[in-house]
Amino acid sequence: MLLLLPPLLLSASPAGASGTVNPCCYFPCQHKGVCVRVGTEGYECDCTRTGYFGVNCTFPEFWMRIRAALKPSPAFYHFILTHFRWFWDIINSTFLRDTLMRLVLTIRANLIPSPPTYNSAHGYISWESYVNLSYFTRILPPVPEDCPTPSGTKGPAQLPDARLVAERFLLRKTFQPDPQGSNLMFAFFAQHFTHQFFKTSGKMGHGFTRALGHGVDLGNIYGDNLERQNELRLFQDGKLKYQLVNGEMYPPRVLEAPVHMIYPKRVPPEQQRAVGQEVFGLLPGLMMYATLWLREHNRVCDVLKGEHPTWGDEQLFQTARLILIGETIKIVIEDYVQHLSGYHLQLKFDPELIFGVQFQYQNRISVEFNQLYHWHPLMPDFFIIQDQEYSYEQFVYNTTMLTDYGVEALVEAFSKQQAGQIGGGQNINKNLLKVAIGVIEESRLLRLQPFNEYRKRFNMVPYTSFQELTGDEEMAAELQKLYGDIDAMEFYPGLLVEKTQPNSIFGESMVEIGAPFSLKGLLGNPICSPEYWKPSTFGGATGFEMVNTATLQKLVCLNVKRCPYVAFRVPDSGDVAAMATSHSSREKEPSAEL
């Protein structure tokens, strides 16, 4: 329906070149309705399949009214899922676990549009948004360029300086540990895992990506293009190139695998290691994971060759890659997301759970997901390896730490050192603050809609004040002074300053916005489709079993000589002893010589 905004409303903000404000700058269309400008002063809200009708898509249809009345709030079901362990122990042992897991997957995944809708060049649906994989996609279109303020119509005509925002609200004063017990093993896994699909292309400009796979393709292990992949391959028995140091397998030197890696000039070529992601030389924790996955790939190749002696190098390589993709998704859902959620419901990776429902096996990485996943508050103020404390200057680009200590020692050290709390604000180490500043500046160049608009898009009630957002009077007063209106609060700072849920690593919005992206990306992988999800895809029953039984502990312990304490949380009393007992009685799968 065409609507002309009242003259009084239009005069509330500075007029554009035509003398009127673009009505879509007011974000009038609710409940995922699409605003289309009509003429010079009017607009239409397209309410198709939103479950709402009316000029601004505000009136619920009958079934939507019932659904809204019965639907619990995110805070309510978070409370239920994180309490009453005795109840969830019963659920986890029955068919209800599968039923609930199917519900979680479908409800979360359906919040992500597929096929994609917008990109940074087009604030409307276009063929380019669908077909051009060089773009990150967008969940919400950009704020129109002709709006009175960067936030549409609310807030200041010029947003506060990005550095000022970061220093006042994101910079760490004192280290705030994650109450869920997340450790550096978790922090480095998050970074290693996401850098296969978060690869902003600086040469092409903001909003573009070099990770054309848009998902879990393990480009961080194999490279994001065929040329890089071929340089990393041994072309023998399906394996990747490696070097032996003290009889153990590590990534090859750049001299033997000449791929582009980012190292400072002070690092000599003989100390530069070559892996799939060019930035992984930055941190020993990233290179540690690169080493584990290298060993796992070559170990899997040995198992496959034993099962299929007639297979050539290419089939061994390609099948091993599929197995590692499956292992990664299994570990992410059942170890990584399980820990992150804090839920007592035992999460399950089983693609067959959604074979009977409508689901699209494709994925596109969005700008918002890329922004959201900058979890730099996880990083501590220093790093402790075997009682030795390392500053950032000593840790960054330390290319010999991995071989000096060995994989086992780093795994154990990172598993025992606590990571920081992500939400609540003021917990980013000063050495990493420039990254947060860059994220804020990028969001402004991409004209991301305000934080509250994303809360509405993901079915949350928008905040009405900065006090409600932060739960902190001093921080709320400063934010009010800088932004002027809660509806002008920016997306990324809003996620980080939001008050955390009880005993949680971050706030409600990070969970409700991040989980749909994550689960859609994981289950939307081709290997999870009915055509792929069968033993033959993974080389038969043995390969399929490797995928279905993968854990973080197995990834480490099948690829080292001594199995250390390994988990995504710091150990409780008795954890290390229990781990040692289980390892001593564990039967190993066939493994490669390290």
Side-chain angles (χ1 to χ4, degrees):
M1 179 182 294
L2 177 64
L3 179 72
L4 298 181
L5 286 175
L8 180 62
L9 183 58
L10 287 174
S11 64
S13 299
S18 63
T20 61
V21 174
N22 178 350
C24 291
C25 292
Y26 292 90
F27 307 120
C29 305
Q30 304 301 301
H31 304 110
K32 304 178 188 176
V34 178
C35 184
V36 180
R37 191 172 186 182
V38 179
T40 58
E41 298 182 5
Y43 71 93
E44 291 178 348
C45 284
D46 186 347
C47 309
T48 305
R49 286 183 291 277
T50 63
Y52 291 81
F53 64 95
V55 171
N56 291 335
C57 310
T58 53
F59 298 103
E61 297 171 358
F62 177 73
W63 288 111
M64 182 59 70
R65 189 185 301 272
I66 294 177
R67 180 182 173 186
L70 296 176
K71 182 182 177 182
S73 69
F76 174 80
Y77 62 71
H78 178 82
F79 177 83
I80 296 298
L81 285 164
T82 55
H83 291 76
F84 314 111
R85 180 183 288 275
W86 62 270
F87 171 77
W88 290 108
D89 286 343
I90 296 173
I91 295 294
N92 290 331
S93 62
T94 70
F95 71 94
L96 292 175
R97 177 195 178 196
D98 285 359
T99 302
L100 289 174
M101 191 67 202
R102 184 184 299 110
L103 192 64
V104 168
L105 292 173
T106 52
I107 290 176
R108 294 292 197 189
N110 286 340
L111 287 170
I112 306 301
S114 184
T117 47
Y118 311 108
N119 63 24
S120 295
H122 304 93
Y124 47 87
I125 289 181
S126 66
W127 185 250
E128 186 75 4
S129 297
Y130 168 71
V131 75
N132 193 337
L133 300 180
S134 297
Y135 281 105
F136 285 113
T137 188
R138 299 278 293 251
I139 295 298
L140 290 179
V143 175
E145 291 183 326
D146 57 351
C147 290
T149 75
S151 303
T153 59
K154 302 290 184 67
Q158 184 174 348
L159 289 169
D161 180 70
R163 177 174 292 278
L164 175 65
V165 172
E167 289 178 347
R168 284 196 182 184
F169 306 110
L170 306 183
L171 179 64
R172 177 176 295 159
K173 295 181 178 178
T174 58
F175 177 73
Q176 300 295 323
D178 169 30
Q180 291 181 223
S182 299
N183 56 25
L184 295 193
M185 197 70 180
F186 172 85
F188 288 127
F189 186 94
Q191 193 171 9
H192 187 276
F193 170 70
T194 59
H195 272 59
Q196 64 189 296
F197 45 78
F198 293 151
K199 300 189 72 173
T200 302
S201 176
K203 292 182 180 179
M204 296 179 69
H206 296 281
F208 290 89
T209 177
R210 291 183 291 113
L212 302 185
H214 283 270
V216 184
D217 61 0
L218 301 194
N220 53 342
I221 300 172
Y222 303 106
D224 59 9
N225 60 75
L226 186 59
E227 181 182 3
R228 188 178 186 94
Q229 178 190 118
N230 287 341
E231 291 290 355
L232 293 170
R233 286 179 61 178
L234 187 61
F235 288 104
Q236 182 179 341
D237 298 333
K239 294 185 176 183
L240 296 170
K241 290 178 181 177
Y242 61 92
Q243 63 171 317
L244 292 177
V245 179
N246 298 323
E248 295 190 303
M249 186 184 298
Y250 291 94
R253 298 182 302 171
V254 173
L255 297 173
E256 282 81 40
V259 296
H260 171 63
M261 293 292 295
I262 298 176
Y263 286 100
K265 293 181 179 180
R266 60 181 172 80
V267 179
E270 60 271 16
Q271 292 182 11
Q272 297 181 13
R273 293 186 180 85
V275 294
Q277 230 290 1
E278 61 267 25
V279 304
F280 279 180
L282 175 69
L283 298 169
L286 299 178
M287 197 58 73
M288 174 201 69
Y289 271 114
T291 302
L292 284 168
W293 284 114
L294 165 68
R295 293 179 182 182
E296 177 66 2
H297 175 92
N298 288 352
R299 185 190 73 83
V300 168
C301 285
D302 283 338
V303 175
L304 290 174
K305 186 176 181 181
E307 291 264 326
H308 308 284
T310 61
W311 282 12
D313 169 76
E314 188 67 19
Q315 190 168 6
L316 289 169
F317 171 81
Q318 297 294 348
T319 306
R321 181 172 185 166
L322 290 173
I323 289 173
L324 262 66
I325 290 173
E327 290 180 338
T328 298
I329 297 175
K330 178 78 156 50
I331 291 170
V332 169
I333 290 178
E334 295 193 7
D335 285 337
Y336 178 85
V337 176
Q338 181 74 66
H339 164 74
L340 195 62
S341 69
Y343 294 166
H344 294 319
L345 171 65
Q346 190 175 344
L347 303 183
K348 183 178 183 181
F349 172 50
D350 182 1
E352 294 186 16
L353 289 175
I354 55 174
F355 281 0
V357 301
Q358 183 179 359
F359 196 84
Q360 294 189 339
Y361 293 95
Q362 59 176 329
N363 188 59
R364 289 283 293 276
I365 300 298
S366 76
V367 162
E368 293 93 345
F369 193 32
N370 189 6
Q371 287 254 323
L372 172 150
Y373 228 117
H374 283 78
W375 290 353
H376 291 87
L378 287 169
M379 287 292 105
D381 291 328
F382 48 81
F383 305 87
I384 303 174
I385 315 292
Q386 293 185 348
D387 298 325
Q388 177 68 43
E389 185 177 301
Y390 290 88
S391 66
Y392 275 81
E393 291 75 15
Q394 295 169 318
F395 193 74
V396 171
Y397 288 115
N398 189 326
T399 57
T400 62
M401 179 177 284
L402 179 64
T403 51
D404 288 345
Y405 283 102
V407 171
E408 296 97 323
L410 292 189
V411 167
E412 194 156 50
F414 296 149
S415 294
K416 292 180 178 179
Q417 184 171 357
Q418 192 150 14
Q421 188 174 43
I422 296 172
Q426 297 181 330
N427 205 24
I428 297 181
N429 180 274
K430 62 181 180 180
N431 291 286
L432 301 172
L433 195 66
K434 62 182 179 182
V435 181
I437 295 171
V439 175
I440 297 171
E441 291 174 341
E442 180 186 64
S443 72
R444 295 175 180 183
L445 289 171
L446 296 172
R447 305 196 314 281
L448 260 64
Q449 290 192 25
F451 181 61
N452 261 343
E453 294 303 313
Y454 282 98
R455 281 187 59 86
K456 290 190 285 186
R457 172 59 179 77
F458 285 88
N459 300 328
M460 290 176 282
V461 177
Y463 287 117
T464 58
S465 69
F466 289 105
Q467 173 66 33
E468 186 183 13
L469 167 67
T470 64
D472 181 277
E473 290 186 9
E474 182 179 347
M475 187 181 295
E478 288 196 67
L479 287 168
Q480 179 70 46
K481 183 177 179 181
L482 287 179
Y483 286 96
D485 194 303
I486 185 63
D487 288 331
M489 186 66 208
E490 297 178 87
F491 178 65
Y492 180 67
L495 287 167
L496 289 195
V497 303
E498 183 181 32
K499 61 183 180 294
T500 60
Q501 298 186 96
N503 300 313
S504 180
I505 191 169
F506 36 49
E508 175 184 88
S509 300
M510 190 78 81
V511 176
E512 296 301 309
I513 299 174
F517 285 121
S518 179
L519 293 176
K520 176 62 174 70
L522 293 168
L523 272 296
N525 193 283
I527 73 159
C528 299
S529 69
E531 292 299 320
Y532 278 58
W533 188 251
K534 56 187 72 173
S536 56
T537 298
F538 306 98
T542 300
F544 204 35
E545 178 72 6
M546 284 192 280
V547 172
N548 282 310
T549 60
T551 64
L552 174 69
Q553 180 182 328
K554 290 181 69 174
L555 171 65
V556 173
C557 294
L558 291 176
N559 291 292
V560 295
K561 292 180 177 178
R562 178 190 64 83
C563 192
Y565 171 74
V566 52
F568 283 141
R569 60 175 176 82
V570 292
D572 294 328
S573 58
D575 277 352
V576 178
M579 183 74 72
T581 301
S582 65
H583 294 163
S584 63
S585 60
R586 174 176 49 86
E587 291 184 3
K588 284 195 175 185
E589 296 182 36
S591 59
E593 180 64 36
L594 298 180

